[in-house]
Amino acid sequence: LLYVIDRKICSSCGLCADVCPVEAISQIGVYRIDEALCVGCGLCSESCPTQAIFEKNA
Ligand code: SF4
Ligand code: SF4
């Protein structure tokens, strides 16, 4: 599974980047997930207080 951040919902709190075990989430203006690094664990989605992270259909 891949996950994406809805930038319209994201509050830029940074929690998802903190919990990601492979450091796939970085902030370059907006928070984004590097699909080449993401292993689909879902921790970021579970940790997001605004529920801005969704599974992306491949
Ligand atoms: S699903 Fe897991 S590996 Fe992928 S960005 Fe979220 S925390 Fe990181
Ligand atoms: S945890 Fe959610 S609100 Fe916080 S930076 Fe990540 S996507 Fe945005």
Side-chain angles (χ1 to χ4, degrees):
L1 288 173
L2 292 177
Y3 286 79
V4 294
I5 296 172
D6 185 334
R7 65 184 61 176
K8 295 188 300 296
I9 303 175
C10 174
S11 65
S12 297
C13 70
L15 277 175
C16 55
D18 288 342
V19 300
C20 179
V22 295
E23 298 184 27
I25 304 177
S26 57
Q27 183 189 23
I28 305 170
V30 295
Y31 279 87
R32 59 193 307 162
I33 295 172
D34 185 334
E35 294 184 3
L37 295 176
C38 176
V39 295
C41 68
L43 284 175
C44 56
S45 182
E46 292 173 21
S47 71
C48 178
T50 62
Q51 298 180 316
I53 306 180
F54 300 91
E55 290 177 16
K56 175 186 178 182
N57 293 322

